[in-house]
Amino acid sequence: MRTAKLGELEVSRIGLGAMGMSHGYSGAGSDDDESIRTIHRAIELGVTLIDTAEIYGPYVNEKLVGRALRGRRDEVVLATKFGLVSHDGRVPAGLDSSPANIRAAVEGSLRRLGTDRIDLYYQHRVDPSTPIEDTMGALADLVQAGKIRSVGLSEAWVDTIRRAHAVHPVTALQSEYSLWTRDQEQLLPVLRELGIGLVAYSPLGRGFLTGALRTQADVERLDDSDFRKNNPRFTGENLQHNLRLAAQVQAIADQIGVTSAQVALAWLLAQGDDIVPIPGTKRVHRVEENAAADAVTLTPEQVATLTALPVAEGGHHTDEQMRVIER
């Protein structure tokens, strides 16, 4: 697989998001052995960027990734996140990027992941109660101590990114970016000015762009714990509009003889060599499909057709989730 640069960090052009193995989607946590096989297969295919977070579970996804990487730690670039779990004895939820919380969070992540360093350590969401300068100062100390190699932000916007980068270099911004979530294109000039890479989570629209969900009945059959059931894009008239968008992606996939997921990933890869999608899966055959997108080349006309598709209807998160996403 080709590689890309996130700041000075070299990673595979397509990474692996581990969240759905333990959290958020139907069947999460039901087959850890298959999830571990999926991580191992990803590594065999040249996928080096593995992404998790302490909030996924919480904690159980980091433990799972740690189990999978025993004896293989040096083969990957390991990313995790802090800031959505409070370590002061409260219920483990809520924004907390205070220096004290960061120091507690990193020790827990290192222990669960079974490693002595984290390659890319993200602030999961911006904490308005803690100046970003204080957060970045604490992270710079962790870099100096060798506990983390590089610093990332997630769902931050222009002012926060510039202020953070002025304290310590930001290696990557992780944010939702796909054919149907395009607002990050407003940020790309700033990221490129500063030399910051973009890690695209949910690059397949939470599975929607794969064609896996085709009717309202498909959505209703999802587990109650599956957050797509409450996502505005998966309900009512929004769903019908978005199904038409997915059908156009499938039409181009049929022209090429690949899957719609591979087309959606190939479109993202065509947006720049500093953009790294991290599609999530807990199945070996899906990670094989996703990794193969690295070899899919779209024509300029196909890229233009996809770029011109109408935007998805409905918010990409619920109103409550959007309140902690900077825009």
Side-chain angles (χ1 to χ4, degrees):
M1 182 178 290
R2 292 174 292 167
T3 60
K5 279 293 190 73
L6 301 172
E8 296 303 314
L9 200 61
E10 186 170 358
V11 300
S12 56
R13 283 280 276 146
I14 299 173
L16 173 62
M19 183 190 79
M21 297 175 179
S22 310
H23 175 83
Y25 289 93
S26 295
S30 62
D31 193 344
D32 285 354
D33 289 341
E34 175 69 2
S35 293
I36 289 172
R37 285 192 292 270
T38 298
I39 293 172
H40 290 170
R41 181 61 177 144
I43 296 170
E44 291 168 2
L45 294 167
V47 174
T48 62
L49 180 60
I50 309 296
D51 184 271
T52 181
E54 64 175 0
I55 192 63
Y56 301 157
Y59 309 134
V60 293
N61 194 243
E62 284 187 327
K63 292 178 181 178
L64 175 67
V65 171
R67 285 172 54 200
L69 294 182
R70 286 175 190 161
R72 310 195 70 164
R73 171 66 182 89
D74 293 339
E75 299 178 53
V76 304
V77 174
L78 182 57
T80 191
K81 312 175 197 73
F82 69 90
L84 289 180
V85 176
S86 181
H87 295 276
D88 64 359
R90 294 179 292 170
V91 174
L95 299 174
D96 191 346
S97 288
S98 64
N101 199 58
I102 293 170
R103 289 191 292 269
V106 74
E107 295 301 334
S109 288
L110 289 168
R111 182 177 63 255
R112 288 185 292 272
L113 291 165
T115 186
D116 61 354
R117 83 279 183 198
I118 294 162
D119 298 309
L120 180 53
Y121 199 41
Y122 292 99
Q123 181 192 41
H124 208 152
R125 293 290 185 269
V126 176
D127 175 9
S129 66
T130 303
I132 192 63
E133 291 81 3
D134 293 353
T135 296
M136 292 299 292
L139 292 168
D141 290 343
L142 293 179
V143 173
Q144 187 67 30
K147 294 186 178 183
I148 66 175
R149 287 178 58 197
S150 54
V151 175
L153 301 175
S154 181
E155 295 292 13
W157 207 246
V158 175
D159 181 62
T160 297
I161 294 168
R162 288 193 181 280
R163 288 167 54 201
H165 196 71
V167 176
H168 185 277
V170 175
T171 292
L173 174 75
Q174 184 173 143
S175 191
E176 184 168 351
Y177 184 33
S178 71
L179 273 170
W180 75 345
T181 303
R182 305 279 296 278
D183 46 352
Q184 293 309 311
E185 290 171 355
Q186 302 171 58
L187 275 182
L188 283 174
V190 174
L191 298 180
R192 286 169 175 161
E193 172 196 336
L194 299 175
I196 300 170
L198 177 60
V199 174
Y201 76 81
S202 295
L204 302 178
R206 296 180 175 82
F208 198 98
L209 294 173
T210 69
L213 300 172
R214 299 181 182 277
T215 67
Q216 190 68 56
D218 290 338
V219 176
E220 291 171 358
R221 280 193 290 270
L222 297 173
D223 294 349
D224 289 341
S225 60
D226 194 312
F227 59 71
R228 289 175 293 183
K229 274 198 166 182
N230 297 316
N231 187 287
R233 293 187 174 177
F234 289 80
T235 58
E237 293 182 3
N238 292 345
L239 175 68
Q240 299 310 311
H241 171 93
N242 296 334
L243 282 170
R244 291 191 288 273
L245 185 156
Q248 293 179 71
V249 177
Q250 183 64 58
I252 289 182
D254 291 342
Q255 293 173 11
I256 305 171
V258 298
T259 68
S260 55
Q262 290 168 338
V263 166
L265 292 171
W267 177 85
L268 269 175
L269 295 177
Q271 305 311 303
D273 57 10
D274 53 355
I275 297 172
V276 177
I278 49 168
T281 183
K282 54 184 179 292
R283 301 295 178 199
V284 168
H285 73 279
R286 289 297 186 196
V287 84
E288 292 173 340
E289 176 185 353
N290 294 339
D294 182 55
V296 175
T297 301
L298 301 173
T299 67
E301 293 77 17
Q302 290 165 338
V303 171
T305 297
L306 291 164
T307 302
L309 289 176
V311 297
E313 290 290 340
H316 55 96
H317 287 76
T318 65
D319 290 344
E320 180 181 3
Q321 292 166 337
M322 287 301 297
R323 281 194 284 270
V324 296
I325 292 177
E326 280 201 333
R327 288 294 182 270

